[in-house]
Amino acid sequence: MLPLARSLLALAALLSVTEARLANPFCSDLHLGKDDGYPKNNYVDFTITVSGGTITIPDKCSRPGNKIVGESISICNTPNSKPEIWQALQTEYHFKPNFALFHIDCPSNIAGCDRLKVEIRQYCEMVTAPH
């Protein structure tokens, strides 16, 4: 391979990695529990629309023989502001992640904060063998 071709190939690879790492500055993400080691087909993706404050996220893994073991949440208010999200119930003795209650901080006087789209992926784990 010619040196110029190698250089262009290296530059293209560097640019694609850089683009993949750029995060949306108007989004917040939260990851709880396990998000690896689960069966690749045992997860549920869904969205909800909220207006901030304390929210409850439904458990979509609770099918017979399954339990929720992890959750990834993404919330954006592009191009107005960056909403913040954190677990609503946190104590120093509460080690198990709470996958249901969260608090979203997005001031009501900022455009878009009254209708925030929350993208959720819940990771499920089989707890009993199928019959």
Side-chain angles (χ1 to χ4, degrees), residues 45-98:
D45 289 326
F46 61 100
T47 61
I48 59 175
T49 302
V50 299
S51 60
T54 301
I55 65 165
T56 302
I57 295 178
D59 180 355
K60 300 281 187 164
C61 285
S62 54
R63 303 181 301 269
N66 278 295
K67 70 176 183 176
I68 184 172
V69 293
E71 193 166 52
S72 294
I73 303 166
S74 178
I75 184 168
C76 303
N77 189 17
T78 307
N80 302 312
S81 68
K82 179 179 180 178
E84 296 296 329
I85 184 168
W86 63 88
Q87 285 182 281
L89 294 176
Q90 291 182 350
T91 66
E92 61 183 280
Y93 302 109
H94 190 253
F95 298 110
K96 186 177 177 183
N98 182 326

Side-chain angles (χ1 to χ4, degrees), residues 102-118:
F102 296 91
H103 187 79
I104 297 172
D105 185 25
C106 192
S108 60
N109 62 342
I110 295 179
C113 284
D114 59 337
R115 292 194 46 81
L116 297 167
K117 180 179 169 187
V118 182

